[in-house]
């Protein structure tokens, strides 16, 4: 396979997959999402390979670089931050490649919402607290379908990971409270999860804006909301002694 979309992971260069790393090391042409991919990963690229920063390119330019590389029998890696399937704009690239009959392969990556859970040392799916994780964003220049407005999603009181929205924090908080989370619901804002400059801010829907008011929070941040960040939950059934399952008898 000559073209590969690779998830670079959330920042820490050791959080790319083994397979993604192999493709990156073998590539003749690398097009990376310059705004978020850790440049340290580019150190893996072999000497003489061409490296392009897609932050400065249009879709057409990205596709023509891939097309030319394929015509020249070169291996191409399109490096996306986190996992390419989440806000990665890969569909339009795949469709453009389909039209040109160029085949491709996708290597998944560790999404930033997972690196955020690791940074927070939390479990998003706590028994009797929430068994659902909602991945979403506040509407910005990219519209959000009416039924998926933050205020509608908030009605579930599930764990929510909100991407691309920290610069609109006040609006986010208002929609979440209007939608049905109580103002005491715990919130965390994690900036640059897994990077050396990672920062964690914790509070509630009522006070997180105040806590962040004097901080210059970078846009590369995740907002996590939900009672999973609190301390109340029920023990899992999986490890309960009286709960037998396929691999262990109840005692
Ligand atoms: N495909 C990526 C998301 C790209 S959208 C993924 O799977 O993670 C860009 C948004 O992702 C940012 O605005 C921010 O909300 C989030 N993000 C990316 N990297 C992050 C990190 N290291 N820490 C916290 N949030 C991050």
């Amino acid at each position: 396979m000559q073209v590969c979309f690779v998830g670079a992971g959330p920042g820490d260069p050791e959080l790319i997959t083994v397979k993604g790393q192999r493709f990156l090391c073998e590539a003749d042409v690398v097009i990376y999402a310059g705004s978020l991919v850790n440049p340290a990963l580019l150190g893996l690229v072999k000497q003489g390979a061409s490296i392009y920063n897609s932050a400065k390119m249009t879709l057409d330019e990205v596709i023509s670089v891939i097309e030319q590389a394929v015509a020249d029998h070169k291996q191409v890696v399109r490096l996306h931050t986190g996992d390419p399937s989440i806000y990665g704009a890969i569909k339009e690239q795949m469709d453009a490649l389909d039209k040109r009959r160029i085949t491709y392969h996708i290597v998944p990556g560790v999404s930033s919402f997972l690196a955020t859970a690791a940074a927070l040392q939390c479990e998003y799916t706590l028994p009797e607290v929430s068994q659902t994780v909602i991945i979403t964003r506040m509407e910005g220049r990219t519209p959000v379908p009416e039924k998926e407005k933050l205020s509608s999603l908030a009605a579930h009181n599930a764990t929510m990971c909100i991407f691309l929205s920290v610069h609109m924090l006040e609006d986010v908080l208002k929609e979440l409270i209007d939608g049905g989370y109580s103002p005491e619901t715990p919130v965390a804002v994690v900036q640059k999860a897994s990077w050396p400059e990672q920062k964690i801010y914790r509070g509630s829907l009522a006070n997180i804006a105040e806590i962040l008011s004097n901080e210059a929070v970078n846009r590369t941040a995740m907002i996590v909301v939900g009672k999973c960040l609190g301390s109340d939950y029920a023990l899992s059934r999986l490890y309960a002694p009286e709960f037998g399952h396929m691999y262990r008898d109840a005692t």
Side-chain angles (χ1 to χ4, degrees):
M1 195 68 60
Q2 268 185 271
V3 180
C4 192
F5 292 91
V6 174
D12 179 346
E14 288 189 319
L15 290 178
I16 190 170
T17 64
V18 174
K19 187 174 249 182
Q21 181 172 20
R22 177 163 64 77
F23 279 110
L24 193 56
C25 293
E26 291 170 357
D28 306 297
V29 174
V30 175
I31 309 169
Y32 72 105
S35 52
L36 286 170
V37 166
N38 191 332
L41 279 172
L42 302 177
L44 300 172
V45 176
K46 67 184 179 196
Q47 274 228 317
S50 313
I51 300 181
Y52 297 85
N53 177 357
S54 65
K56 299 181 177 154
M57 298 162 79
T58 62
L59 173 63
D60 283 347
E61 286 168 343
V62 168
I63 298 302
S64 37
V65 168
I66 297 178
E67 202 172 14
Q68 187 58 52
V70 170
D72 296 342
H73 305 287
K74 291 181 170 166
Q75 300 284 331
V76 186
V77 161
R78 175 68 174 105
L79 194 60
H80 280 271
T81 178
D83 182 84
S85 70
I86 313 259
Y87 306 114
I90 57 164
K91 174 75 173 153
E92 60 201 36
Q93 300 174 63
M94 294 190 291
D95 285 348
L97 296 179
D98 288 344
K99 265 195 210 148
R100 291 161 178 79
R101 299 184 187 282
I102 297 173
T103 53
Y104 46 82
H105 183 84
I106 303 176
V107 177
V110 176
S111 179
S112 58
F113 81 97
L114 299 171
T116 295
L120 292 170
Q121 301 191 330
C122 78
E123 178 175 345
Y124 287 150
T125 55
L126 276 182
E128 293 177 34
V129 173
S130 179
Q131 290 290 289
T132 306
V133 184
I134 297 175
I135 292 168
T136 189
R137 62 171 300 169
M138 180 83 181
E139 183 159 69
R141 282 197 291 176
T142 306
V144 170
E146 183 61 34
K147 286 185 173 168
E148 297 178 17
K149 298 283 180 223
L150 273 190
S151 52
S152 310
L153 299 177
H156 298 283
N157 276 219
T159 302
M160 218 189 268
C161 298
I162 308 173
F163 285 68
L164 295 159
S165 306
V166 79
H167 59 292
M168 297 179 275
L169 186 67
E170 301 271 0
D171 298 334
V172 169
L173 299 172
K174 183 175 180 322
E175 285 217 26
L176 293 176
I177 293 173
D178 288 351
Y181 282 102
S182 86
E184 293 75 47
T185 309
V187 187
V189 172
V190 179
Q191 179 184 316
K192 299 202 96 176
S194 87
W195 291 72
E197 59 269 40
Q198 169 183 297
K199 270 197 181 158
I200 298 177
Y201 305 94
R202 291 177 189 265
S204 66
L205 285 177
N207 69 11
I208 192 81
E210 167 86 41
I211 291 167
L212 287 173
S213 60
N214 292 321
E215 302 285 337
V217 179
N218 181 294
R219 280 202 179 198
T220 308
M222 185 73 55
I223 306 169
V224 181
V225 189
K227 286 199 188 127
C228 72
L229 300 175
S231 50
D232 289 342
Y233 68 102
L235 292 180
S236 82
R237 305 309 299 146
L238 188 58
Y239 297 107
E242 73 284 3
F243 187 79
H245 54 68
M246 229 187 325
Y247 301 103
R248 180 170 55 74
D249 292 332
T251 52

